[in-house]
Amino acid sequence: MTSFILNEKPIRTEERPGMTLLEFIRGVACLSGTKDACHEGECGACTVLLGSRQSDGTMAYKACASCLTALGDADGRHVVTVEGLGGEPLTLAQRLIVEHSASQCGFCTPGIVLSLTGFALGSATLAYDDAVTALDGNICRCTGYASIRNAAKALCAALEGIDKAPDRRLAALISSGVVPAYFTDIAARLAGLGAAPVPCGKNTVTVAGGTDLFVQKPEQLLESELCFLSRRGDLDYVREDKEFLRVGGAATIEDFRNSPEVRRHFPALAADLLLHSSAILRNKATLAGNIVNASPIGDAAIILLALDARLVITGEGGRKREVPLDKFFLGYKKTDLACGELVSEIMVPLPPSGARYHFEKVSNRTTLDIAAVNSALLLTAGPDGAVKDLRVSAGGVGPVPMLLPGLDKLNGRKPDAAFFNDLSKAALAAAAPIDDIRGSAEYKRLLLGQLMLAHGRALAPVEAA
Ligand SMILES: Cc1cc2nc3c(=O)[nH]c(=O)nc-3n(C[C@H](O)[C@H](O)[C@H](O)COP(=O)(O)OP(=O)(O)OC[C@H]3O[C@@H](n4cnc5c(N)ncnc54)[C@H](O)[C@@H]3O)c2cc1C
Ligand code: FES
Ligand code: FES
Protein backbone atom coordinates (compact mmCIF):
# COMPACT_ATOMS: atom_id res chain seq x y z
CA MET A 1 0.00 0.00 0.00
CA THR A 2 1.36 3.44 -0.93
CA SER A 3 -0.14 6.40 0.96
CA PHE A 4 0.51 10.01 0.12
CA ILE A 5 -1.17 13.34 -0.58
CA LEU A 6 -1.57 14.27 -4.24
CA ASN A 7 -2.21 18.01 -4.32
CA GLU A 8 -5.01 18.28 -1.72
CA LYS A 9 -6.25 14.72 -2.00
CA PRO A 10 -5.25 11.76 0.21
CA ILE A 11 -4.24 8.71 -1.85
CA ARG A 12 -4.04 5.09 -0.74
CA THR A 13 -3.18 2.79 -3.59
CA GLU A 14 -2.30 -0.85 -4.18
CA GLU A 15 -0.63 -0.05 -7.54
CA ARG A 16 2.87 -1.52 -7.78
CA PRO A 17 5.51 0.67 -6.04
CA GLY A 18 7.78 0.32 -9.09
CA MET A 19 5.27 2.05 -11.37
CA THR A 20 6.53 5.52 -12.22
CA LEU A 21 4.88 8.42 -10.46
CA LEU A 22 4.22 9.92 -13.90
CA GLU A 23 2.20 6.86 -14.94
CA PHE A 24 0.20 7.05 -11.72
CA ILE A 25 -0.49 10.78 -12.05
CA ARG A 26 -1.63 10.61 -15.67
CA GLY A 27 -2.98 7.05 -15.97
CA VAL A 28 -4.52 6.40 -12.55
CA ALA A 29 -5.23 9.84 -11.05
CA CYS A 30 -6.16 11.17 -14.54
CA LEU A 31 -4.31 14.46 -14.06
CA SER A 32 -2.99 15.37 -17.50
CA GLY A 33 -1.21 18.65 -16.68
CA THR A 34 2.00 16.71 -16.01
CA LYS A 35 3.34 15.94 -19.47
CA ASP A 36 4.92 12.71 -20.71
CA ALA A 37 7.61 13.32 -23.33
CA CYS A 38 11.08 11.76 -23.20
CA HIS A 39 10.47 9.40 -20.25
CA GLU A 40 14.24 9.55 -19.60
CA GLY A 41 14.74 12.63 -17.43
CA GLU A 42 15.87 14.71 -20.39
CA CYS A 43 13.15 17.33 -20.87
CA GLY A 44 11.47 18.38 -17.60
CA ALA A 45 7.91 18.18 -19.00
CA CYS A 46 6.98 15.73 -16.22
CA THR A 47 8.34 17.86 -13.33
CA VAL A 48 6.40 17.65 -10.05
CA LEU A 49 7.17 18.73 -6.49
CA LEU A 50 7.93 16.08 -3.93
CA GLY A 51 7.43 17.39 -0.40
CA SER A 52 8.80 15.65 2.70
CA ARG A 53 7.94 16.38 6.30
CA GLN A 54 11.10 17.28 8.22
CA SER A 55 11.86 16.27 11.81
CA ASP A 56 11.12 19.86 12.97
CA GLY A 57 7.62 19.67 11.45
CA THR A 58 8.38 21.91 8.45
CA MET A 59 8.11 20.74 4.83
CA ALA A 60 10.94 20.50 2.28
CA TYR A 61 9.88 20.53 -1.38
CA LYS A 62 12.06 19.45 -4.31
CA ALA A 63 11.25 19.57 -8.03
CA CYS A 64 11.76 16.11 -9.56
CA ALA A 65 11.29 14.30 -12.85
CA SER A 66 8.22 12.11 -12.21
CA CYS A 67 9.15 9.82 -15.14
CA LEU A 68 12.16 8.58 -13.12
CA THR A 69 10.44 8.56 -9.72
CA ALA A 70 8.84 5.43 -8.35
CA LEU A 71 5.29 5.60 -7.04
CA GLY A 72 6.66 3.94 -3.90
CA ASP A 73 8.99 6.90 -3.44
CA ALA A 74 5.93 9.09 -2.89
CA ASP A 75 4.91 7.09 0.19
CA GLY A 76 4.40 9.43 3.15
CA ARG A 77 5.00 12.52 1.00
CA HIS A 78 3.18 15.40 -0.67
CA VAL A 79 3.15 15.29 -4.47
CA VAL A 80 2.27 18.54 -6.21
CA THR A 81 1.30 18.74 -9.87
CA VAL A 82 0.27 21.83 -11.78
CA GLU A 83 -3.37 21.07 -10.90
CA GLY A 84 -2.41 21.52 -7.24
CA LEU A 85 -1.18 25.07 -7.77
CA GLY A 86 -3.31 27.77 -9.26
CA GLY A 87 -5.88 28.04 -11.92
CA GLU A 88 -8.22 30.52 -10.33
CA PRO A 89 -6.37 32.66 -9.28
CA LEU A 90 -3.03 31.90 -10.95
CA THR A 91 -0.04 31.48 -8.66
CA LEU A 92 2.73 34.06 -8.78
CA ALA A 93 4.98 31.95 -11.07
CA GLN A 94 2.05 31.24 -13.42
CA ARG A 95 1.05 34.91 -13.55
CA LEU A 96 4.63 36.04 -14.29
CA ILE A 97 4.90 33.49 -17.10
CA VAL A 98 1.77 34.96 -18.65
CA GLU A 99 2.91 38.56 -18.13
CA HIS A 100 6.33 37.87 -19.70
CA SER A 101 4.95 35.89 -22.65
CA ALA A 102 6.98 32.90 -21.45
CA SER A 103 4.66 30.25 -22.89
CA GLN A 104 3.61 29.48 -26.46
CA CYS A 105 2.37 25.92 -27.08
CA GLY A 106 2.43 25.39 -23.30
CA PHE A 107 3.74 21.82 -23.34
CA CYS A 108 6.76 22.62 -21.17
CA THR A 109 4.95 25.24 -19.05
CA PRO A 110 3.63 23.04 -16.20
CA GLY A 111 7.17 21.72 -15.65
CA ILE A 112 8.62 25.22 -15.69
CA VAL A 113 5.99 26.45 -13.22
CA LEU A 114 6.79 23.54 -10.88
CA SER A 115 10.56 24.12 -11.13
CA LEU A 116 10.13 27.84 -10.37
CA THR A 117 7.78 27.05 -7.48
CA GLY A 118 10.31 24.52 -6.13
CA PHE A 119 12.96 27.24 -6.35
CA ALA A 120 10.74 29.66 -4.38
CA LEU A 121 10.09 27.01 -1.71
CA GLY A 122 13.64 25.72 -1.39
CA SER A 123 16.37 28.08 -2.59
CA ALA A 124 18.61 29.31 0.21
CA THR A 125 19.34 32.56 -1.62
CA LEU A 126 16.32 33.20 -3.87
CA ALA A 127 18.90 34.72 -6.23
CA TYR A 128 18.39 34.89 -10.00
CA ASP A 129 21.36 32.54 -10.68
CA ASP A 130 19.71 29.90 -8.52
CA ALA A 131 16.43 30.36 -10.39
CA VAL A 132 18.22 29.77 -13.70
CA THR A 133 19.91 26.69 -12.21
CA ALA A 134 16.51 25.42 -11.05
CA LEU A 135 15.37 25.52 -14.69
CA ASP A 136 18.39 23.74 -16.17
CA GLY A 137 16.42 20.51 -16.75
CA ASN A 138 13.38 22.15 -18.37
CA ILE A 139 13.58 22.25 -22.13
CA CYS A 140 11.31 24.54 -24.15
CA ARG A 141 11.06 24.06 -27.88
CA CYS A 142 9.14 27.14 -28.92
CA THR A 143 9.02 30.11 -26.53
CA GLY A 144 12.70 30.99 -26.28
CA TYR A 145 14.53 31.10 -23.00
CA ALA A 146 14.85 34.89 -22.79
CA SER A 147 11.21 35.36 -21.83
CA ILE A 148 11.30 32.40 -19.44
CA ARG A 149 14.33 33.94 -17.76
CA ASN A 150 12.53 37.30 -17.59
CA ALA A 151 9.70 35.60 -15.72
CA ALA A 152 12.26 33.99 -13.39
CA LYS A 153 13.90 37.39 -12.82
CA ALA A 154 10.53 38.94 -11.99
CA LEU A 155 9.84 36.11 -9.53
CA CYS A 156 13.15 36.80 -7.75
CA ALA A 157 12.30 40.51 -7.59
CA ALA A 158 8.84 39.74 -6.19
CA LEU A 159 10.35 37.48 -3.51
CA GLU A 160 13.08 39.91 -2.43
CA GLY A 161 13.13 40.34 1.34
CA ILE A 162 10.71 37.48 1.98
CA ASP A 163 11.12 35.64 5.30
CA LYS A 164 13.27 32.58 4.45
CA ALA A 165 13.30 31.04 7.96
CA PRO A 166 12.13 27.43 7.51
CA ASP A 167 9.24 27.77 9.99
CA ARG A 168 7.91 31.03 8.48
CA ARG A 169 8.76 30.66 4.81
CA LEU A 170 5.70 28.67 3.78
CA ALA A 171 3.32 31.22 5.34
CA ALA A 172 5.19 34.04 3.58
CA LEU A 173 4.95 32.23 0.22
CA ILE A 174 1.24 31.58 0.71
CA SER A 175 0.64 35.30 1.35
CA SER A 176 2.69 36.15 -1.76
CA GLY A 177 0.55 33.81 -3.86
CA VAL A 178 3.38 31.37 -4.66
CA VAL A 179 1.44 28.36 -3.37
CA PRO A 180 -2.21 27.93 -2.31
CA ALA A 181 -3.34 28.13 1.32
CA TYR A 182 -3.99 24.37 1.65
CA PHE A 183 -0.19 23.85 1.85
CA THR A 184 -0.40 25.08 5.48
CA ASP A 185 -1.94 21.82 6.73
CA ILE A 186 0.11 19.37 4.70
CA ALA A 187 2.81 18.73 7.34
CA ALA A 188 0.18 17.88 9.95
CA ARG A 189 -1.71 15.68 7.49
CA LEU A 190 1.48 13.80 6.60
CA ALA A 191 2.39 13.19 10.25
CA GLY A 192 0.14 10.15 10.37
CA LEU A 193 1.33 8.71 7.08
CA GLY A 194 4.92 7.75 8.10
CA ALA A 195 6.28 5.40 5.45
CA ALA A 196 7.77 2.19 6.81
CA PRO A 197 11.26 1.45 5.45
CA VAL A 198 11.55 -1.89 3.60
CA PRO A 199 14.85 -3.44 4.70
CA CYS A 200 17.34 -3.76 1.84
CA GLY A 201 18.48 -7.34 1.42
CA LYS A 202 19.38 -10.09 -1.02
CA ASN A 203 15.89 -10.18 -2.53
CA THR A 204 15.28 -6.44 -2.93
CA VAL A 205 16.44 -3.86 -5.45
CA THR A 206 17.90 -0.76 -3.82
CA VAL A 207 16.35 2.40 -5.24
CA ALA A 208 18.17 5.61 -4.33
CA GLY A 209 17.30 8.48 -6.69
CA GLY A 210 16.17 6.04 -9.37
CA THR A 211 17.62 8.31 -12.07
CA ASP A 212 19.75 5.51 -13.42
CA LEU A 213 17.51 2.54 -12.59
CA PHE A 214 14.37 3.92 -14.23
CA VAL A 215 16.26 4.56 -17.46
CA GLN A 216 17.98 1.13 -17.47
CA LYS A 217 15.31 -1.32 -16.29
CA PRO A 218 11.83 0.10 -15.68
CA GLU A 219 10.08 -3.21 -16.51
CA GLN A 220 12.16 -5.14 -13.99
CA LEU A 221 11.39 -2.57 -11.29
CA LEU A 222 7.66 -3.14 -11.76
CA GLU A 223 8.09 -6.78 -10.82
CA SER A 224 10.71 -6.45 -8.05
CA GLU A 225 10.54 -5.81 -4.36
CA LEU A 226 12.08 -2.37 -3.88
CA CYS A 227 13.84 -0.85 -0.90
CA PHE A 228 13.74 2.95 -1.07
CA LEU A 229 16.71 4.80 0.40
CA SER A 230 14.59 7.97 0.47
CA ARG A 231 12.89 6.41 3.52
CA ARG A 232 16.23 5.97 5.29
CA GLY A 233 16.48 9.27 7.15
CA ASP A 234 19.43 7.74 9.05
CA LEU A 235 21.44 7.68 5.78
CA ASP A 236 20.54 11.20 4.68
CA TYR A 237 23.29 13.46 6.02
CA VAL A 238 26.44 15.40 5.22
CA ARG A 239 28.60 16.08 8.26
CA GLU A 240 32.25 16.45 9.15
CA ASP A 241 34.53 15.27 11.88
CA LYS A 242 38.23 15.98 12.40
CA GLU A 243 39.39 13.96 9.40
CA PHE A 244 36.48 13.32 7.09
CA LEU A 245 33.45 14.72 5.41
CA ARG A 246 30.91 11.95 5.94
CA VAL A 247 28.12 11.60 3.41
CA GLY A 248 25.21 9.24 4.04
CA GLY A 249 24.28 6.70 1.36
CA ALA A 250 20.95 8.45 0.78
CA ALA A 251 22.32 12.02 0.42
CA THR A 252 21.44 13.59 -2.92
CA ILE A 253 23.91 15.32 -5.20
CA GLU A 254 22.08 18.62 -4.63
CA ASP A 255 22.11 18.30 -0.82
CA PHE A 256 25.82 17.46 -0.98
CA ARG A 257 26.52 20.36 -3.36
CA ASN A 258 24.72 22.86 -1.16
CA SER A 259 25.91 21.63 2.23
CA PRO A 260 27.86 24.16 4.30
CA GLU A 261 30.55 21.51 4.93
CA VAL A 262 31.19 21.03 1.21
CA ARG A 263 31.12 24.79 0.57
CA ARG A 264 33.70 25.24 3.34
CA HIS A 265 36.19 22.51 2.37
CA PHE A 266 35.61 22.09 -1.38
CA PRO A 267 34.12 25.37 -2.64
CA ALA A 268 34.73 24.43 -6.30
CA LEU A 269 32.33 21.48 -6.06
CA ALA A 270 29.29 23.80 -5.97
CA ALA A 271 29.96 24.70 -9.61
CA ASP A 272 31.50 21.36 -10.68
CA LEU A 273 28.45 19.36 -9.66
CA LEU A 274 26.19 21.68 -11.67
CA LEU A 275 27.65 19.78 -14.62
CA HIS A 276 25.91 16.62 -13.34
CA SER A 277 22.55 16.09 -15.11
CA SER A 278 20.05 18.83 -14.14
CA ALA A 279 18.36 20.22 -11.03
CA ILE A 280 15.29 17.98 -11.31
CA LEU A 281 17.60 14.93 -11.35
CA ARG A 282 20.22 16.18 -8.85
CA ASN A 283 17.35 16.71 -6.38
CA LYS A 284 16.92 12.90 -6.33
CA ALA A 285 20.15 11.39 -7.67
CA THR A 286 22.53 10.35 -4.93
CA LEU A 287 26.29 10.36 -4.67
CA ALA A 288 26.21 6.67 -3.72
CA GLY A 289 24.03 5.80 -6.75
CA ASN A 290 26.57 7.48 -9.01
CA ILE A 291 29.30 5.27 -7.54
CA VAL A 292 27.38 1.97 -7.47
CA ASN A 293 26.14 2.25 -11.05
CA ALA A 294 29.87 2.06 -11.87
CA SER A 295 29.57 4.09 -15.05
CA PRO A 296 33.11 4.72 -16.35
CA ILE A 297 32.18 8.40 -16.71
CA GLY A 298 30.21 9.05 -13.51
CA ASP A 299 31.03 12.62 -12.51
CA ALA A 300 30.76 12.13 -8.75
CA ALA A 301 32.78 8.91 -8.92
CA ILE A 302 35.56 10.69 -10.82
CA ILE A 303 35.63 13.60 -8.35
CA LEU A 304 35.58 11.31 -5.31
CA LEU A 305 38.40 9.13 -6.70
CA ALA A 306 40.71 12.15 -6.86
CA LEU A 307 39.63 13.15 -3.35
CA ASP A 308 40.67 9.68 -2.07
CA ALA A 309 37.19 8.77 -0.80
CA ARG A 310 36.44 5.57 1.08
CA LEU A 311 33.16 3.69 1.19
CA VAL A 312 31.49 2.23 4.25
CA ILE A 313 29.60 -0.84 3.09
CA THR A 314 26.93 -2.37 5.31
CA GLY A 315 25.76 -5.94 4.84
CA GLU A 316 22.88 -7.93 6.26
CA GLY A 317 22.92 -8.01 10.05
CA GLY A 318 24.59 -4.57 10.05
CA ARG A 319 28.13 -5.86 9.38
CA LYS A 320 30.31 -2.98 8.17
CA ARG A 321 33.48 -2.90 6.09
CA GLU A 322 35.50 -0.08 4.52
CA VAL A 323 36.73 -0.06 0.94
CA PRO A 324 38.89 2.63 -0.69
CA LEU A 325 36.97 3.89 -3.73
CA ASP A 326 39.93 3.13 -6.02
CA LYS A 327 39.58 -0.58 -5.08
CA PHE A 328 35.79 -0.65 -5.49
CA PHE A 329 35.58 -0.87 -9.30
CA LEU A 330 36.55 -4.37 -10.41
CA GLY A 331 35.69 -4.27 -14.12
CA TYR A 332 33.12 -2.85 -16.50
CA LYS A 333 30.00 -2.35 -14.29
CA LYS A 334 31.47 -4.77 -11.73
CA THR A 335 32.00 -3.61 -8.17
CA ASP A 336 33.09 -4.96 -4.83
CA LEU A 337 29.48 -4.94 -3.55
CA ALA A 338 27.90 -8.24 -2.64
CA CYS A 339 24.22 -8.95 -3.04
CA GLY A 340 22.29 -7.36 -0.17
CA GLU A 341 25.05 -4.89 0.72
CA LEU A 342 24.55 -1.12 0.84
CA VAL A 343 26.95 1.77 0.48
CA SER A 344 25.91 3.36 3.73
CA GLU A 345 28.51 6.15 3.92
CA ILE A 346 31.10 7.89 1.75
CA MET A 347 34.08 9.23 3.68
CA VAL A 348 35.94 12.08 2.01
CA PRO A 349 39.24 13.07 3.69
CA LEU A 350 39.36 16.79 4.50
CA PRO A 351 41.92 18.37 2.17
CA PRO A 352 45.41 18.79 3.64
CA SER A 353 46.83 22.30 3.73
CA GLY A 354 48.52 23.13 0.42
CA ALA A 355 46.07 20.92 -1.50
CA ARG A 356 44.60 22.12 -4.78
CA TYR A 357 41.68 20.48 -6.55
CA HIS A 358 40.34 20.85 -10.08
CA PHE A 359 37.68 19.10 -12.24
CA GLU A 360 37.19 19.10 -16.01
CA LYS A 361 34.38 17.57 -18.07
CA VAL A 362 33.89 17.48 -21.83
CA SER A 363 30.34 16.80 -23.01
CA ASN A 364 28.19 17.86 -25.94
CA ARG A 365 25.95 20.04 -23.74
CA THR A 366 26.78 21.84 -20.51
CA THR A 367 23.86 20.35 -18.59
CA LEU A 368 21.85 17.17 -19.07
CA ASP A 369 24.74 15.34 -20.65
CA ILE A 370 27.18 12.74 -19.52
CA ALA A 371 30.87 13.19 -20.28
CA ALA A 372 32.88 11.98 -23.24
CA VAL A 373 35.90 12.29 -20.94
CA ASN A 374 36.14 13.80 -17.45
CA SER A 375 38.97 14.15 -14.97
CA ALA A 376 39.65 15.44 -11.47
CA LEU A 377 42.95 16.26 -9.81
CA LEU A 378 44.08 16.75 -6.22
CA LEU A 379 47.60 18.11 -5.91
CA THR A 380 49.28 18.65 -2.56
CA ALA A 381 52.43 20.77 -2.47
CA GLY A 382 54.91 21.30 0.34
CA PRO A 383 56.00 24.71 1.69
CA ASP A 384 58.67 24.85 -1.06
CA GLY A 385 55.96 24.54 -3.73
CA ALA A 386 57.12 21.05 -4.82
CA VAL A 387 54.49 18.37 -5.33
CA LYS A 388 54.18 15.99 -2.36
CA ASP A 389 51.17 14.02 -3.53
CA LEU A 390 49.20 13.85 -6.75
CA ARG A 391 45.92 12.03 -7.43
CA VAL A 392 44.37 12.27 -10.88
CA SER A 393 41.25 10.40 -11.99
CA ALA A 394 39.91 10.00 -15.49
CA GLY A 395 36.58 8.79 -16.88
CA GLY A 396 35.66 7.56 -20.35
CA VAL A 397 39.13 6.20 -21.06
CA GLY A 398 38.78 2.69 -19.65
CA PRO A 399 36.16 0.20 -18.45
CA VAL A 400 35.91 1.80 -14.99
CA PRO A 401 36.38 5.26 -13.46
CA MET A 402 40.19 5.22 -13.21
CA LEU A 403 42.72 6.58 -10.79
CA LEU A 404 45.76 7.15 -12.99
CA PRO A 405 48.65 4.91 -11.85
CA GLY A 406 52.37 5.67 -11.76
CA LEU A 407 52.20 9.37 -10.93
CA ASP A 408 54.59 9.10 -7.95
CA LYS A 409 57.47 9.82 -10.29
CA LEU A 410 56.16 13.40 -10.65
CA ASN A 411 56.47 14.05 -6.89
CA GLY A 412 59.15 16.51 -5.82
CA ARG A 413 58.76 18.66 -8.95
CA LYS A 414 57.30 22.15 -9.26
CA PRO A 415 53.81 22.01 -10.85
CA ASP A 416 54.84 24.06 -13.88
CA ALA A 417 54.09 23.70 -17.59
CA ALA A 418 56.68 20.93 -18.04
CA PHE A 419 55.14 19.06 -15.12
CA PHE A 420 51.67 19.10 -16.71
CA ASN A 421 53.10 18.08 -20.09
CA ASP A 422 54.62 15.03 -18.39
CA LEU A 423 51.33 14.39 -16.58
CA SER A 424 49.61 14.44 -19.95
CA LYS A 425 52.04 11.78 -21.28
CA ALA A 426 51.58 9.63 -18.16
CA ALA A 427 47.78 9.84 -18.53
CA LEU A 428 47.92 8.76 -22.16
CA ALA A 429 50.13 5.81 -21.26
CA ALA A 430 47.54 4.60 -18.73
CA ALA A 431 44.43 5.14 -20.85
CA ALA A 432 42.67 2.52 -22.98
CA PRO A 433 39.57 4.22 -24.41
CA ILE A 434 37.25 2.50 -26.88
CA ASP A 435 35.13 3.81 -29.75
CA ASP A 436 31.55 4.38 -28.60
CA ILE A 437 28.58 6.72 -29.00
CA ARG A 438 30.43 9.52 -27.17
CA GLY A 439 33.43 9.52 -29.49
CA SER A 440 36.23 7.53 -31.06
CA ALA A 441 39.09 6.17 -28.99
CA GLU A 442 41.43 8.58 -30.77
CA TYR A 443 39.21 11.58 -29.89
CA LYS A 444 39.07 10.54 -26.23
CA ARG A 445 42.85 10.16 -26.05
CA LEU A 446 43.20 13.65 -27.46
CA LEU A 447 40.71 14.96 -24.88
CA LEU A 448 42.47 13.22 -22.01
CA GLY A 449 45.81 14.78 -22.90
CA GLN A 450 44.20 18.21 -23.21
CA LEU A 451 42.37 17.85 -19.87
CA MET A 452 45.70 17.30 -18.09
CA LEU A 453 46.95 20.56 -19.61
CA ALA A 454 43.67 22.23 -18.61
CA HIS A 455 44.27 21.15 -14.99
CA GLY A 456 47.65 22.84 -15.31
CA ARG A 457 46.20 26.05 -16.71
CA ALA A 458 43.66 26.18 -13.87
CA LEU A 459 46.24 25.57 -11.14
CA ALA A 460 49.32 27.30 -12.54
CA PRO A 461 47.82 29.80 -14.97
CA VAL A 462 50.92 31.70 -15.94
CA GLU A 463 53.49 28.94 -16.28
CA ALA A 464 51.24 26.45 -18.07
CA ALA A 465 49.80 28.97 -20.53
C1 LIG B 1 19.06 12.68 -18.27
C2 LIG B 1 20.16 12.13 -17.41
C3 LIG B 1 21.34 12.84 -17.28
C4 LIG B 1 22.37 12.32 -16.50
N1 LIG B 1 23.49 13.06 -16.40
C5 LIG B 1 24.52 12.59 -15.67
C6 LIG B 1 25.72 13.34 -15.56
O1 LIG B 1 25.84 14.46 -16.09
N2 LIG B 1 26.73 12.81 -14.85
C7 LIG B 1 26.64 11.59 -14.23
O2 LIG B 1 27.59 11.15 -13.60
N3 LIG B 1 25.50 10.87 -14.29
C8 LIG B 1 24.45 11.33 -14.99
N4 LIG B 1 23.30 10.59 -15.08
C9 LIG B 1 23.22 9.27 -14.44
C10 LIG B 1 22.56 9.25 -13.03
O3 LIG B 1 21.72 10.34 -12.83
C11 LIG B 1 23.62 9.30 -11.94
O4 LIG B 1 24.52 8.26 -12.07
C12 LIG B 1 23.03 9.32 -10.54
O5 LIG B 1 23.96 9.86 -9.63
C13 LIG B 1 22.61 7.93 -10.05
O6 LIG B 1 22.15 8.04 -8.71
P1 LIG B 1 20.73 7.52 -8.25
O7 LIG B 1 20.64 7.79 -6.79
O8 LIG B 1 19.65 8.07 -9.08
O9 LIG B 1 20.90 5.95 -8.52
P2 LIG B 1 19.79 4.83 -8.71
O10 LIG B 1 19.26 4.87 -10.09
O11 LIG B 1 18.81 4.84 -7.60
O12 LIG B 1 20.73 3.54 -8.52
C14 LIG B 1 21.80 3.24 -9.39
C15 LIG B 1 22.36 1.87 -8.98
O13 LIG B 1 22.99 1.94 -7.72
C16 LIG B 1 22.36 1.07 -6.76
N5 LIG B 1 22.41 1.83 -5.52
C17 LIG B 1 22.03 3.14 -5.36
N6 LIG B 1 22.36 3.56 -4.13
C18 LIG B 1 22.95 2.52 -3.50
C19 LIG B 1 23.53 2.34 -2.20
N7 LIG B 1 23.58 3.34 -1.30
N8 LIG B 1 24.06 1.14 -1.90
C20 LIG B 1 24.03 0.11 -2.79
N9 LIG B 1 23.50 0.22 -4.04
C21 LIG B 1 22.98 1.41 -4.38
C22 LIG B 1 20.98 0.80 -7.33
O14 LIG B 1 20.47 -0.44 -6.88
C23 LIG B 1 21.28 0.79 -8.82
O15 LIG B 1 21.84 -0.43 -9.18
C24 LIG B 1 22.23 11.09 -15.83
C25 LIG B 1 21.03 10.38 -15.92
C26 LIG B 1 20.00 10.88 -16.71
C27 LIG B 1 18.72 10.12 -16.80
S1 FES C 1 9.20 13.05 -19.54
FE1 FES C 1 11.02 14.16 -20.03
S2 FES C 1 11.97 14.42 -18.10
FE2 FES C 1 10.29 13.15 -17.68
S1 FES D 1 6.05 26.66 -24.83
FE1 FES D 1 6.16 25.13 -26.36
S2 FES D 1 7.74 23.83 -25.61
FE2 FES D 1 7.81 25.50 -24.29
Side-chain angles (χ1 to χ4, degrees):
M1 173 75 72
T2 305
S3 307
F4 60 106
I5 300 173
L6 176 56
N7 301 325
E8 265 189 282
K9 192 174 164 193
I11 302 281
R12 284 168 70 77
T13 175
E14 297 283 3
E15 295 288 350
R16 286 175 288 183
M19 169 189 250
T20 66
L21 188 55
L22 175 61
E23 280 156 0
F24 182 86
I25 288 168
R26 288 183 62 89
V28 181
C30 296
L31 297 175
S32 56
T34 308
K35 302 301 178 206
D36 186 355
C38 69
H39 229 103
E40 289 202 345
E42 300 260 5
C43 73
C46 67
T47 305
V48 298
L49 293 181
L50 217 46
S52 310
R53 189 176 192 275
Q54 307 297 290
S55 52
D56 62 1
T58 60
M59 291 291 299
Y61 286 93
K62 302 275 171 68
C64 303
S66 61
C67 66
L68 301 184
T69 299
L71 173 64
D73 231 353
D75 204 27
R77 290 169 141 179
H78 184 205
V79 176
V80 186
T81 69
V82 74
E83 290 87 350
L85 291 179
E88 279 299 327
L90 296 178
T91 62
L92 182 59
Q94 288 172 320
R95 187 162 57 71
L96 293 171
I97 281 178
V98 174
E99 285 172 8
H100 289 82
S101 306
S103 177
Q104 279 191 34
C105 78
F107 195 79
C108 68
T109 308
I112 287 177
V113 167
L114 268 303
S115 285
L116 284 177
T117 307
F119 155 77
L121 285 159
S123 162
T125 61
L126 289 177
Y128 173 62
D129 284 355
D130 268 8
V132 173
T133 295
L135 290 170
D136 67 8
N138 294 91
I139 288 177
C140 174
R141 289 285 176 204
C142 51
T143 297
Y145 294 102
S147 33
I148 294 170
R149 287 197 178 131
N150 286 342
K153 197 172 280 173
L155 180 66
C156 296
L159 296 178
E160 209 175 309
I162 206 159
D163 195 341
K164 296 201 273 295
D167 56 337
R168 296 189 295 273
R169 184 167 182 152
L170 189 58
L173 292 174
I174 291 171
S175 350
S176 313
V178 174
V179 288
Y182 77 83
F183 273 56
T184 312
D185 300 329
I186 294 292
R189 290 176 62 193
L190 286 181
L193 282 189
V198 176
C200 298
K202 287 193 171 131
N203 300 320
T204 60
V205 176
T206 304
V207 180
T211 63
D212 200 52
L213 278 172
F214 275 90
V215 176
Q216 306 293 340
K217 40 185 157 186
E219 294 82 15
Q220 191 185 323
L221 294 175
L222 261 185
E223 306 304 327
S224 308
E225 180 156 13
L226 308 178
C227 85
F228 292 102
L229 292 195
S230 60
R231 297 185 197 168
R232 292 285 308 266
D234 59 320
L235 297 182
D236 185 8
Y237 58 85
V238 180
R239 56 176 172 247
E240 68 176 279
D241 58 23
K242 278 196 186 127
E243 286 178 81
F244 294 101
L245 209 59
R246 294 180 181 270
V247 186
T252 65
I253 304 247
E254 205 52 12
D255 284 346
F256 177 73
R257 196 179 77 77
N258 288 322
S259 78
E261 293 81 4
V262 169
R263 299 267 163 139
R264 187 160 48 246
H265 295 293
F266 301 102
L269 286 182
D272 291 347
L273 286 170
L274 283 181
L275 300 175
H276 183 296
S277 63
S278 66
I280 56 170
L281 300 188
R282 290 190 304 271
N283 279 335
K284 288 201 80 240
T286 60
L287 228 48
N290 195 272
I291 292 168
V292 178
N293 82 13
S295 160
I297 42 170
D299 290 321
I302 287 298
I303 289 170
L304 292 168
L305 268 175
L307 297 182
D308 200 8
R310 302 176 69 77
L311 305 180
V312 178
I313 293 177
T314 305
E316 279 181 302
R319 277 184 318 279
K320 287 193 193 308
R321 61 192 178 97
E322 263 181 49
V323 179
L325 184 56
D326 56 19
K327 302 276 182 294
F328 182 68
F329 302 110
L330 304 179
Y332 180 67
K333 295 271 180 185
K334 273 175 65 185
T335 64
D336 176 12
L337 193 70
C339 194
E341 284 188 320
L342 268 188
V343 172
S344 51
E345 186 174 90
I346 302 158
M347 300 160 64
V348 187
L350 299 181
S353 70
R356 287 185 286 170
Y357 152 85
H358 185 63
F359 174 67
E360 289 282 344
K361 170 174 177 175
V362 179
S363 54
N364 289 332
R365 293 181 297 185
T366 309
T367 53
L368 270 173
D369 209 0
I370 46 179
V373 177
N374 52 6
S375 172
L377 167 148
L378 186 72
L379 182 153
T380 311
D384 59 353
V387 173
K388 277 201 317 195
D389 192 36
L390 178 66
R391 292 179 65 88
V392 184
S393 56
V397 292
V400 298
M402 282 172 66
L403 186 68
L404 297 180
L407 301 185
D408 290 0
K409 60 184 180 216
L410 295 171
N411 287 352
R413 289 176 53 181
K414 288 265 163 33
D416 54 13
F419 174 94
F420 284 100
N421 278 331
D422 288 345
L423 172 61
S424 185
K425 287 183 202 145
L428 289 175
I434 52 166
D435 296 339
D436 66 17
I437 193 168
R438 280 174 288 280
S440 65
E442 193 187 347
Y443 170 64
K444 291 185 207 167
R445 286 178 66 77
L446 176 70
L447 286 182
L448 179 66
Q450 293 299 319
L451 291 193
M452 297 305 117
L453 302 183
H455 285 317
R457 277 193 291 277
L459 297 188
V462 178
E463 289 186 276

